[in-house]
Amino acid sequence: MSLAYSMTGFARVQGSVAEGVGFTLSLKSVNHRFLDLHMRLPAGCDALEMQLRKLLKEQLRRGHVEVTLQLDRQRQRTLQYDRAVVAAYVEAYRRAAEENNLSGEPDLASILRMPGVFSSDGEDSELKPEQIEAAVLQEVEPLIASLRAMRAQEGAALVAELDACMVRIGAVADEVNTLRGDVRASYYERIRSRIAELTEGANISEERLLSEAAVMAERSDVEEEIVRLKTHVDHFRGLLAAGGELGKKLDFLLQELNRESNTLLSKTSGANTANGLRITELGLELKTVIEKAREQVQNLE
């Protein structure tokens, strides 16, 4: 049986680019109508981005996926001050004081905060994009596999919830089917009485009156809606069992189920018998269960 995948998942891996330089690569996925890849990579990693996009498109079908790569430089950097620059600042301070007839010596703390005084050991420039690309690509395949495993686990939970929803919809349809006969009979009697009242004194045979009442009562019957509900439920559960890419197919079936529940409610809204009121309650429950299922389906790939 093929697995069903949720679009929700997270995976992260850590590795090493060079001595003293590590990296963290993470994948975060949420639901989306299509496959939407959003990259957050260090500057100069254009070639790596293209490779990551290619690999992700081969493994994933839908979802908004955020790809984040962070570099971690573990070596301590040494800061050095430029003696010539410091001397130039001191000389400029003294010359300005002399030209303006001011006394005092320059403040060393202030001078050390001036631009260009300090410089680092320049380790950042030693790291090339090719090094990052080679190190990261070694970890991408297992990282994507980890993300898919989490999405499969979430997918299995969604399938279980959706199957339970379908079981309940089937049970509701069965109960409505046991109640509809009484409601139909009630409709028939009410329509017959109303037609007789409106046509009192007219030359209409009893047989014609009963025939018209029967036709109108037949139109209010929900047998067809029940059959279609159960057919859609069977189809829905069959797709769940088959797995694979389900989201769009299941969403369409839920629209059909919702349409049938609306029709069922519209046909039985005027039934004031106990069974009629019960059918109305069941129709409202149908809509609630269907809406719950639609929320879950939005997360399926």
Side-chain angles (χ1 to χ4, degrees), residues 173 176-177 180 184 218-232 256 259-261 263-264 267:
V176 171
N177 193 44
R180 71 180 180 85
R184 184 172 178 274
E218 184 67 26
R219 290 174 182 171
S220 69
D221 193 19
V222 293
E223 180 182 11
E224 291 184 4
E225 286 70 31
I226 293 170
V227 170
R228 284 194 288 266
L229 279 171
K230 293 179 71 65
T231 299
H232 293 326
E256 295 300 307
R259 184 177 293 111
E260 298 303 331
S261 66
T263 305
L264 185 149
K267 283 187 173 183

Side-chain angles (χ1 to χ4, degrees), residues 17 21-24 42 45 69-73 127 132 136:
V17 177
V21 182
F23 71 86
T24 300
C45 291
L69 175 62
Q70 295 178 322
L71 297 180
D72 179 21
R73 293 173 171 83
L127 199 60
I132 301 174
V136 170

Side-chain angles (χ1 to χ4, degrees), residues 160-174 233 237 289:
E161 291 186 30
L162 289 168
D163 191 63
C165 287
M166 292 303 109
V167 169
R168 181 54 193 158
I169 291 174
V172 168
D174 287 338
V233 165
R237 298 188 72 188
V289 175

Side-chain angles (χ1 to χ4, degrees), residues 148-161:
R148 282 176 58 82
M150 175 174 283
R151 285 168 54 130
Q153 183 178 2
E154 293 288 329
L158 288 175
V159 166
E161 291 186 30

